[in-house]
Amino acid sequence: MPPLIEDHALVGDLHTAALIHRRGSVTFTCFPDFDSPAAFASLVGTPEHGSWDLCPTAPDAHVRRRYLPGTLVLETTWTTPNGQARVLDFMPTRPPGSGNPQLIRIVQGVRGDVPMSSRMLIRFAYGKITPRLVRHPHQFGGDRYAALAGPDSLYLDASTPLSEHADGNVEATFLTRAGEQQVFALTWQPSHLPAPPRPDPAAALASTLSYWSDWSARSTYTGPYQEAVQRSLIVLKALTYAPTGGMVAAPTTSLPEEIGGVRNWDYRYTWLRDAAIALGVLALSGYLEEAAAWRDWLARAVAGDPATVQIMYSIKGDRDLPESTLPHLPGYEGSWPVRVGNGAAHQPQLDVFGEVLDAFHLAEEAGLAPCDDAFALQSALLTQVETRWHQPDAGIWEGRGPERHYVHSKVMGWVAADRMVRRIESGRATGPVEEWRHLRDSIHADVCAQGYDPVRNTFTQSYGATALDASLLLIPLVGFLPPDDKRVIGTIEAIQRELSTGNDGLILRYRTNGDETGADGLAGDEGAFLACSFWLVEALTMIGRTTEASELFEKLLALANDVGLLAEEYDCVARRQLGNFPQAFSHFGLAAAALRLASGEKTAARDEALGLDTAA
Ligand SMILES: OC[C@H]1O[C@H](O[C@H]2O[C@H](CO)[C@@H](O)[C@H](O)[C@H]2O)[C@H](O)[C@@H](O)[C@@H]1O
């Protein structure tokens, strides 16, 4: 049986990350950074494209997993008829931009005897390059193997003997006895450097545990569902690239939105939209440092000429993310192509200005010190809205079909103007407030006249269209119209009717067209979109349907895997997760919905922080 997406857990070091399957296999890891080529790519290929298995030799061993509380250290407990062993998997945290990425796996005997094996196949360049293997035995027991090719080297240090097999696997078989431990540490470094020192896994474990525990202790969230919210915040932090403050949308590429389909994208980049919303949620939960770091990332990314702002950049701020396919990889369960790069980078998507200005406003209301340079940048971004809001765009979903006048894009243009007006009204900045009020009112009037269907009493996906779109649920959430407006209630009900995937209440982001090419320019269908389903929780809460909102929220929580992680989408028929994993969008959706539910009926913590009166 191929590995399910939700059978994976995430470990990471704020520079890159690894996905580990519940049966002990590392199936996807890029070194040294999130967007570097993968050295283990079996998740989108086969085991021959690189993987690292560490598990009992007994095939029927029972497995249970959890993260050590408040951390990103994964504990896997294996139970066999003859004993129990646990494995701690983690990537040691380190000062931003210094040191080498490491993946450490500590095997501890709990009781009895558990025969185990480690089997590692390294294939650089997304499974394409076979490295040269060199053995360096340790002086006082244990072993080291180096794998070298091109710019990369990986050193595997083990406390137990390793052997090399003709097929390129480096293996160890060993007995785990109660009270004893074996350690495996994999270290990446540029291949031209001398071999790295032997790692100190115990010290690395201690410092990694204390890093994550201290980070978690900074959370100010006190509402219900604390464990799920904290796990989501940890995921958002783990997707952040510490040297720059950029955040990837997910640490994977090409996990499919439809099994066997073509909707496979590379998410290892920083979307202004995703990062801004994530940072807003982090700021509301007490994490202002992350918001400040991202503000600096944005200032650098768009420096020079904000008129040329893109909707996404690399984690380091590169603009060119050329999209190509990797023909040697068969894809996850045959979902092909596997893509690297992302062609959506050069699309016009007008909503991003609203998301960025909303996030800064939220973060400043939550305590982030305002700064003049940031305000100048934000004014320049609003100028883009003024110039471009009349134009069609590709929309929040980055469709690859024709550009349209997306209602959500215009609503977010209104948000951009609204947040700047509010800032000036609060006395925290000065600017052409009358001009911006006029812009805000013009967009509002235009959307209400052209984006609303009075016959069906619903806003529509784009001007003049009949199609609906789950992004319209944001209309009350961002304060464009009050929740008791009949057009808002009509839109929520229409979305429930027309975009629901079945009886479980989850919703699609929009309707696709089966084998025919749909409005998004793609053939095929996709699963329910988890972030949109969380927006529905928020919208229902706002219109006072709180019982229904809580029930839906709990259904969504139940879709998270055994360690609390969510992909982008959910297949309500096959009952499995779909899309890149874990996905920031889903996790900030979860945290925002919990914040909304926590604050009770009609007013959310977010609205209070914003000072929103939700009036038109
Ligand atoms: O559906 C087609 C598009 O799908 C991806 O975009 C989605 O992910 C982004 C990152 O989370 C998110 O910001 C966007 O709203 C989503 O639609 C993909 O990256 C695009 O290239 C693709 O056209």
Side-chain angles (χ1 to χ4, degrees):
M1 161 123 178
L4 290 173
I5 291 169
E6 61 266 40
D7 277 346
H8 289 86
L10 174 84
V11 297
D13 65 356
L14 308 174
H15 296 71
T16 187
L19 258 59
I20 304 179
H21 185 266
R22 59 186 282 112
R23 305 283 330 160
S25 303
V26 177
T27 63
F28 193 78
T29 317
C30 301
F31 290 113
D33 297 325
F34 289 109
D35 56 357
S36 308
F40 300 120
S42 64
L43 186 57
V44 284
T46 68
E48 282 63 50
H49 295 108
S51 61
W52 179 7
D53 305 335
L54 176 61
C55 56
T57 51
D60 51 355
H62 175 266
V63 65
R64 193 164 36 86
R65 299 188 301 183
R66 62 168 189 153
Y67 284 110
L68 297 184
T71 78
L72 200 63
V73 175
L74 178 69
E75 178 193 73
T76 305
T77 303
W78 296 96
T79 307
T80 70
N82 298 324
Q84 194 174 61
R86 67 171 194 160
V87 178
L88 296 177
D89 287 313
F90 65 100
M91 296 188 79
T93 47
R94 56 198 157 104
S98 72
N100 295 319
Q102 289 186 323
L103 175 55
I104 296 183
R105 314 190 77 181
I106 299 176
V107 187
Q108 299 175 331
V110 178
R111 62 177 165 75
D113 290 347
V114 184
M116 298 195 57
S117 73
S118 164
R119 192 165 189 268
M120 177 188 284
L121 187 77
I122 294 168
R123 289 288 179 266
F124 292 121
Y126 301 101
K128 219 170 164 177
I129 307 260
T130 301
R132 178 164 64 93
L133 291 174
V134 185
R135 181 164 180 243
H136 305 267
H138 287 159
Q139 230 177 332
F140 306 108
D143 241 334
R144 162 174 276 191
Y145 263 89
L148 298 108
D152 298 301
S153 66
L154 276 168
Y155 289 80
L156 175 62
D157 288 281
S159 56
T160 187
L162 298 168
S163 58
E164 182 186 339
H165 286 243
D167 58 7
N169 273 291
V170 174
E171 297 191 6
T173 48
F174 55 95
L175 194 63
T176 310
R177 294 196 180 91
E180 294 181 1
Q181 72 172 27
Q182 298 294 348
V183 176
F184 298 84
L186 184 68
T187 307
W188 180 92
Q189 70 170 22
S191 56
H192 63 276
L193 296 180
R198 258 179 99 167
D200 181 348
L205 176 62
S207 68
T208 303
L209 285 172
S210 83
Y211 174 86
W212 284 108
S213 304
D214 292 350
W215 191 84
S216 290
R218 282 170 45 208
S219 171
T220 55
Y221 181 76
T222 52
Y225 309 111
Q226 276 212 25
E227 209 180 315
V229 171
Q230 193 56 29
R231 181 55 48 203
S232 291
L233 298 176
I234 289 174
V235 169
L236 297 179
K237 177 67 176 172
L239 299 183
T240 305
Y241 184 64
T244 65
M247 175 188 274
V248 294
T252 54
T253 178
S254 300
L255 291 180
E257 293 164 15
E258 179 184 42
I259 299 296
V262 298
R263 294 164 182 265
N264 320 316
W265 313 104
D266 191 350
Y267 278 20
R268 299 169 300 150
Y269 305 111
T270 303
W271 270 258
L272 264 47
R273 169 187 311 113
D274 300 43
I277 304 173
L279 268 304
V281 168
L282 282 168
L284 285 179
S285 312
Y287 293 102
L288 293 176
E289 263 176 37
E290 286 71 12
W294 188 68
R295 185 168 70 182
D296 295 346
W297 175 92
L298 181 68
R300 290 190 302 272
V302 308
D305 184 7
T308 59
V309 63
Q310 294 190 179
I311 64 101
M312 79 172 97
Y313 297 82
S314 80
I315 45 177
K316 293 181 182 148
D318 302 290
R319 288 171 170 259
D320 271 336
L321 313 172
E323 185 173 297
S324 60
T325 59
L326 298 176
H328 66 283
L329 289 175
Y332 178 89
E333 289 189 33
S335 310
W336 198 86
V338 174
R339 293 185 173 90
V340 292
N342 201 315
H346 298 290
Q347 288 184 348
Q349 297 176 17
L350 298 177
D351 63 299
V352 300
F353 301 107
E355 280 126 7
V356 169
L357 296 179
D358 187 42
F360 283 137
H361 192 61
L362 267 177
E364 285 175 17
E365 290 289 327
L368 179 70
C371 83
D372 289 348
D373 284 355
F375 187 72
L377 170 62
Q378 290 157 34
S379 305
L381 295 180
L382 189 58
T383 303
Q384 289 306 302
V385 177
E386 264 180 308
T387 317
R388 292 161 59 181
W389 77 269
H390 280 108
Q391 298 166 13
D393 73 333
I396 179 173
W397 307 128
E398 317 193 323
R400 297 196 173 205
E403 290 171 13
R404 291 162 204 274
H405 289 279
Y406 284 103
V407 170
H408 170 264
S409 300
K410 313 276 191 217
V411 167
M412 294 311 291
W414 175 90
V415 168
D418 179 72
R419 303 309 187 250
M420 294 295 271
V421 167
R422 283 171 191 271
R423 182 168 309 188
I424 290 166
E425 286 173 345
S426 72
R428 279 181 292 126
T430 52
V433 69
E434 270 318 314
E435 181 187 326
W436 291 348
R437 277 196 194 111
H438 176 70
L439 172 66
R440 177 175 73 171
D441 295 346
S442 307
I443 300 177
H444 201 280
D446 199 63
V447 169
C448 292
Q450 302 206 60
Y452 171 70
D453 176 348
V455 177
R456 292 156 70 216
N457 185 26
T458 180
F459 285 93
T460 55
Q461 183 179 51
S462 58
Y463 286 2
T466 52
L468 296 187
D469 193 305
S471 61
L472 301 167
L473 291 168
L474 292 166
I475 286 176
L477 271 54
V478 298
F480 182 84
L481 284 174
D484 57 3
D485 188 294
K486 81 170 183 45
R487 293 166 293 181
V488 167
I489 295 169
T491 302
I492 295 169
E493 289 174 349
I495 287 171
Q496 282 190 297
R497 254 190 335 269
E498 296 189 24
L499 295 183
S500 285
T501 52
N503 296 331
D504 44 17
L506 274 65
I507 51 171
L508 300 164
R509 45 185 174 168
Y510 51 81
R511 286 265 163 216
T512 45
N513 218 11
D515 290 342
E516 301 293 311
T517 301
D520 60 7
L522 299 164
D525 294 318
E526 60 176 44
F529 205 84
L530 293 174
C532 297
S533 305
F534 283 116
W535 294 341
L536 180 57
V537 170
E538 290 202 61
L540 290 170
T541 309
M542 290 190 82
I543 62 171
R545 286 161 58 178
T546 48
T547 308
E548 195 181 342
S550 299
E551 283 169 6
L552 177 57
F553 186 75
E554 292 193 2
K555 273 184 202 159
L556 290 164
L557 273 193
L559 303 182
N561 74 359
D562 54 336
V563 288
L565 304 187
L566 288 167
E568 182 174 41
E569 298 187 1
Y570 189 74
D571 181 333
C572 295
V573 177
R575 309 215 73 77
R576 58 184 294 191
Q577 296 194 20
L578 291 172
N580 282 311
F581 177 90
Q583 161 80 328
F585 231 115
S586 300
H587 282 282
F588 56 64
L590 184 157
L595 279 165
R596 175 86 53 189
L597 286 167
S599 65
E601 310 268 27
K602 296 193 176 181
T603 313
R606 179 181 186 285
D607 297 347
E608 277 162 19
L610 274 172
L612 280 182
D613 53 13
T614 58

